[in-house]
Amino acid sequence: MMLANMATLKAKPNGLFALNPVDVDAYILSRPAKDLPGVGWSTAAELRSKFNAETVGDIRAIGEAKYTGLT
């Protein structure tokens, strides 16, 4: 569902966008954080100011660092 929602953003206003399964990680990680469902302008601004996170990949790196004990 999340992939469909994010792909729809790329296809707008009247286009078509096909997301191949092998390209999912590269596509998602390169998207701006505000494209995630539930992340509005306020949350995106907070992610940017507190964690310097602009993309979904940046957010993933923060989570991985905390999980592995690097921070």
Side-chain angles (χ1 to χ4, degrees):
M1 184 99 164
M2 182 184 73
L3 287 175
N5 187 2
M6 292 178 75
T8 301
L9 292 173
K10 184 160 176 99
K12 286 183 178 180
N14 60 355
L16 176 69
F17 177 67
L19 184 59
N20 293 323
V22 296
D23 299 329
V24 169
D25 277 346
Y27 173 72
I28 289 178
L29 296 178
S30 67
R31 301 301 304 163
K34 65 178 178 55
D35 285 356
L36 285 172
V39 176
W41 62 269
S42 177
T43 305
E46 193 168 332
L47 286 167
R48 190 172 28 265
S49 68
K50 288 186 177 179
F51 301 107
N52 197 28
E54 295 281 338
T55 66
V56 176
D58 295 339
I59 296 170
R60 182 179 182 183
I62 293 165
E64 288 175 349
K66 287 187 181 282
Y67 181 73
T68 57
L70 297 176
T71 60

